[in-house]
Amino acid sequence: MHLTPEEEKILNNEEGFAKQRAMEILVDLGKANNADKLIPITSAHVSGGSYKSLGKEGMKFLQELANNWAKVVVPTTLNPGGISPKMKLPKEFAEKQRVIIDAYKALGVIPTLTCTPYYAGYTPKKGEHVAWAESSAAIYANSVLGAYTNREEGMSALAAALIGKTANYGMHLDENRQAGLTIKVKDKLLGFEDFAALGYYIGTTYNDKIVSFDFSSKPSNENLRGLCAALAVSESIPMFRLGKEGDETVEIGYDEIDTTFQAFNSKLQPDLIAIGCPHSPPEEIKKISRMLKGKKIRENVTFWIFTAEYVRKSLEFEGYEDEIEKAGGQIITGACISVAPLEELGFKCMATNSAKAAHYCRSLCNVETKLMSLDEMIKYSLK
Ligand code: F3S
């Protein structure tokens, strides 16, 4: 792998420990993936905002970098943490979470605390090379926004942010971004949850190649957000394409998609409704607010909508949050449902329209889950 004299200097510790460590991470990654060089990036998105996913060692490493006065050199946004004040979580967890976010801030990372930085004012342009962690955001950046990114880990995205470059391999190369299979979706998908169910089915069935989706009508970006998140569960899919591509086609419809609904179909009555995985755009919050206006959510149901603080603030003077709160729901910012310690809050069954949240909350938070549409969740929640 070719390094410029300037990059060699960083690797040889001429610009301090933090940059040297970041360069080592990039070089190791590049060598392991046969990259020819490092290329400049225009932005980074860092995951690992939660103590639950970062752990004690990760927290210590972050503090060490911050103590070395390192600063990111491109706009760098941060994934959600595991808490929000409204969630009333244990003090010890909250304190560790604060330490992590402070360390990121010291490194110059913008504490957007969202997995949808593209709703918080940070949208890469088509063709730009970026280093985005958070699998759903990376898939969205590649597939919907037309940017170029690998599915970074939190640390590799932070390393790229500190150097302003990433290793040139994988999704940064056009030849690796072609679809090997077209998925013809023969039935009409009705909403976000259907796209989420489709993504989960494809992610667990065809996860060894890039697929292209051939839909009967153009899907909205909002529904593609659900598809991206569910595909992300596969842990290997970096992007998808739209339209018919490649020689091979498989047809799928409701029979296949319904297998996802069957996989997340707890028989318990949900005591938690969680919307916003990935974090909700303003339109979804407005829609929920209109649906809840003048109504009351049952006392034994907690109703949470997860979004970016930037999005919540942008709606602040329009009354949408007031209507949601009057009905008994809450907008939660800065947190991710799947990395929040739900198990410590005593919930037994969570309903959600996100296959990703249904999957991870069941495995990480020890709650049963149920995949439902927004309409079904609201109907169920009301008195
Ligand atoms: Fe976002 Fe957490 Fe879902 S990071 S995509 S809300 S699992």
Side-chain angles (χ1 to χ4, degrees):
M1 184 175 161
H2 171 75
L3 294 183
T4 65
E6 198 181 71
E7 291 161 358
E8 290 281 5
K9 278 186 190 169
I10 296 174
L11 195 58
N12 293 331
N13 201 8
E14 289 185 31
E15 293 196 20
F17 161 79
K19 289 227 172 193
Q20 184 203 28
R21 192 66 200 98
M23 186 59 91
E24 275 173 359
I25 291 172
L26 297 184
V27 170
D28 286 352
L29 205 53
K31 283 185 179 164
N33 290 284
N34 295 321
D36 56 347
K37 59 182 178 182
L38 298 179
I39 52 169
I41 54 166
T42 55
S43 72
H45 179 71
V46 178
S47 63
S50 161
Y51 180 72
K52 194 168 171 179
S53 50
L54 203 59
K56 200 170 157 191
E57 288 309 309
M59 188 171 84
K60 265 174 65 185
F61 182 62
L62 265 188
Q63 285 179 299
E64 208 179 338
L65 290 181
N67 290 341
N68 274 274
W69 304 100
K71 290 275 180 219
V72 298
V73 296
V74 292
T76 303
T77 46
L78 181 60
N79 226 34
I83 57 155
S84 162
K86 287 187 191 165
M87 293 168 83
K88 299 194 177 67
L89 292 170
K91 261 196 179 144
E92 199 197 343
F93 189 92
E95 177 53 23
K96 285 176 181 145
Q97 191 62 64
R98 189 191 57 73
V99 169
I100 289 170
I101 292 168
D102 283 352
Y104 277 119
K105 281 203 242 171
L107 289 164
V109 175
I110 306 155
T112 46
L113 294 174
T114 183
C115 48
T116 52
Y118 42 91
Y119 294 141
Y122 298 91
T123 310
K125 292 196 186 77
K126 195 172 175 184
E128 282 186 0
H129 291 264
V130 300
W132 279 24
E134 168 44 41
S135 47
S136 71
I139 299 177
Y140 193 93
N142 278 323
S143 318
V144 182
L145 303 176
Y148 287 60
T149 182
N150 285 316
R151 277 178 63 147
E152 300 285 351
E153 296 293 329
M155 276 303 152
S156 65
L158 183 59
L162 288 166
I163 302 293
K165 293 179 181 176
T166 191
N168 191 32
Y169 72 93
M171 290 303 105
H172 291 287
L173 303 172
D174 279 323
E175 64 262 33
N176 295 333
R177 297 170 64 94
Q178 308 309 313
L181 173 71
T182 294
I183 306 288
K184 182 160 178 50
V185 184
K186 63 181 180 189
D187 294 321
K188 190 172 167 44
L189 304 192
L190 299 177
F192 183 93
E193 69 287 349
D194 277 358
F195 280 82
L198 166 68
Y200 190 79
Y201 174 77
I202 297 300
T204 48
T205 314
Y206 301 100
N207 52 16
D208 58 343
K209 47 176 81 97
I210 292 177
V211 301
S212 188
F213 290 102
D214 184 9
F215 293 111
S216 54
S217 57
K218 190 173 181 286
S220 67
N221 285 1
E222 160 58 1
N223 287 336
L224 292 179
R225 175 177 63 99
L227 178 64
C228 289
L231 282 171
V233 176
S234 76
E235 292 180 5
S236 60
I237 294 175
M239 68 175 288
F240 61 83
R241 297 178 67 90
L242 291 173
K244 185 168 168 25
E245 274 189 22
D247 297 333
E248 207 188 330
T249 298
V250 294
E251 221 178 56
I252 73 154
Y254 292 145
D255 285 349
E256 290 80 9
I257 291 165
D258 283 347
T259 59
T260 306
F261 287 96
Q262 286 149 20
F264 303 110
N265 190 20
S266 169
K267 297 287 172 276
L268 296 180
Q269 295 284 300
D271 46 13
L272 171 63
I273 304 291
I275 300 160
C277 170
H279 280 178
S280 291
E283 293 68 33
E284 188 168 54
I285 295 171
K286 289 180 188 178
K287 185 175 173 188
I288 296 168
S289 176
R290 288 200 306 271
M291 290 168 90
L292 291 178
K293 190 171 180 173
K295 311 209 170 95
K296 273 274 172 242
I297 291 166
R298 294 198 244 161
E299 262 138 39
N300 55 353
V301 170
T302 298
F303 192 105
W304 284 340
I305 306 159
F306 292 80
T307 192
E309 177 62 13
Y310 176 93
V311 169
R312 190 200 68 77
K313 259 199 165 339
S314 72
L315 298 172
E316 201 165 40
F317 300 111
E318 297 183 48
Y320 294 109
E321 188 172 12
D322 287 347
E323 295 299 345
I324 290 168
E325 287 187 346
K326 269 192 237 159
Q330 282 184 311
I331 295 180
I332 307 281
T333 63
C336 157
I337 183 67
S338 304
V339 295
L342 286 186
E343 61 279 20
E344 295 181 35
L345 297 177
F347 294 113
K348 297 278 179 292
C349 177
M350 181 187 86
T352 177
N353 54 355
S354 164
K356 184 179 180 188
H359 174 86
Y360 283 122
C361 289
R362 187 168 67 185
S363 58
L364 299 176
C365 307
N366 201 21
V367 291
E368 293 198 19
T369 54
K370 200 170 171 66
L371 187 61
M372 295 168 83
S373 71
L374 182 59
D375 287 359
E376 285 170 333
M377 286 188 286
I378 289 190
K379 198 169 161 205
Y380 167 81
S381 308
L382 295 176
K383 284 182 179 174

